[in-house]
Amino acid sequence: WGKGESCLMSRFLLSCANRCGAAFVLALLVGPMVLAEEIYYQVGFTNRLRLADTDVGTDVLIGSMGPADDSLGMSFSPEGVLYGYNRSTSSLYTIDTTTAATTLVGANGLQAVESLTFDATGSTLYATSGSQLYAMDPADATATLIGALGTSLDGLTVSPVPLDVFGIGTVPAGTIFGIDTRELFVVDVVTPSTTSIGSVSANETLAFGPTGT
């Protein structure tokens, strides 16, 4: 754990690239706020959607989303619709959280997308491909290059509440955080740029709890 992490790290559920159930966890996110409980959706190399309830300690397979893949970023819209990006098909999908069935939104040609998160308004999906940051339209998957972040990010998530961040100060709800190579960042999608917060004992993916804890 890096300097200053105690003030922030407890707010995240972090995951290493190690086995959870039958697959490496490559995407992890909390269920939508409307569920009012702490459940997490996860997917790995096998492209199977799983549901983990941290209150009761269960991990349940929902179903397969298609052929095995090495990456699928996921994010819930504010309305509770689950979106996923499959880099094997360079396409954005919506995902049925009860069956794991996918519906194509559109293809945009991006082949190395590692992470995906909505902004606070739900109008834009942010995606990283290598060190490049893209804005993606959730209506048709059209992707627009914002610019280079200076570092590659394997995981993105957005804060549901304001947070006091070590070395930075208070950041508003809707601030985007990223993780890569055991280091946590605050992401500025305007400039674009990243600010390191510190080192963590995890990588690949991260998610806030439903109340920002």
Side-chain angles (χ1 to χ4, degrees):
W1 294 85
K3 181 180 179 182
E5 288 177 34
S6 60
C7 66
L8 183 64
M9 293 305 102
S10 63
R11 295 182 179 273
F12 290 100
L13 181 63
L14 300 165
S15 175
C16 294
N18 56 6
R19 293 190 183 277
C20 288
F24 287 89
V25 175
L26 293 178
L28 176 76
L29 69 160
V30 69
M33 292 292 289
V34 294
L35 294 177
E37 58 183 329
E38 196 155 322
I39 59 174
Y40 293 84
Y41 293 85
Q42 60 189 34
V43 67
F45 287 130
T46 59
N47 219 13
R48 292 189 175 98
L49 186 66
R50 307 184 69 91
L51 181 65
D53 189 323
T54 57
D55 289 332
V56 299
T58 57
D59 180 14
V60 178
L61 174 65
I62 296 175
S64 174
M65 293 182 292
D69 181 36
D70 64 349
S71 179
L72 192 142
M74 297 191 301
S75 183
F76 274 107
S77 72
E79 295 76 27
V81 178
L82 180 57
Y83 286 75
Y85 191 90
N86 189 315
R87 71 181 185 183
S88 290
T89 61
S90 301
S91 299
L92 181 70
Y93 298 84
T94 57
I95 302 168
D96 187 318
T97 56
T98 60
T99 66
T102 59
T103 300
L104 178 66
V105 175
N108 55 32
L110 297 181
Q111 297 180 340
V113 170
E114 295 286 350
S115 54
L116 197 69
T117 193
F118 270 95
D119 67 356
T121 68
S123 60
T124 301
L125 274 164
Y126 290 105
T128 58
S129 177
S131 63
Q132 303 296 313
L133 178 68
Y134 290 85
M136 197 177 299
D137 188 334
D140 60 9
T142 299
T144 302
L145 177 64
I146 298 174
L149 289 170
T151 187
S152 299
L153 295 177
D154 287 332
L156 292 175
T157 192
V158 62
S159 169
V161 296
L163 294 174
D164 292 323
V165 179
F166 176 82
I168 296 177
T170 301
V171 298
T175 297
I176 293 176
F177 291 81
I179 192 170
D180 183 63
T181 318
R182 302 184 182 274
E183 189 169 4
L184 186 67
F185 299 88
V186 169
V187 181
D188 186 331
V189 298
V190 177
T191 49
S193 62
T194 58
T195 301
S196 176
I197 300 172
S199 60
V200 293
S201 56
N203 58 9
E204 291 294 336
T205 185
L206 74 166
F208 279 100
T211 60
T213 58

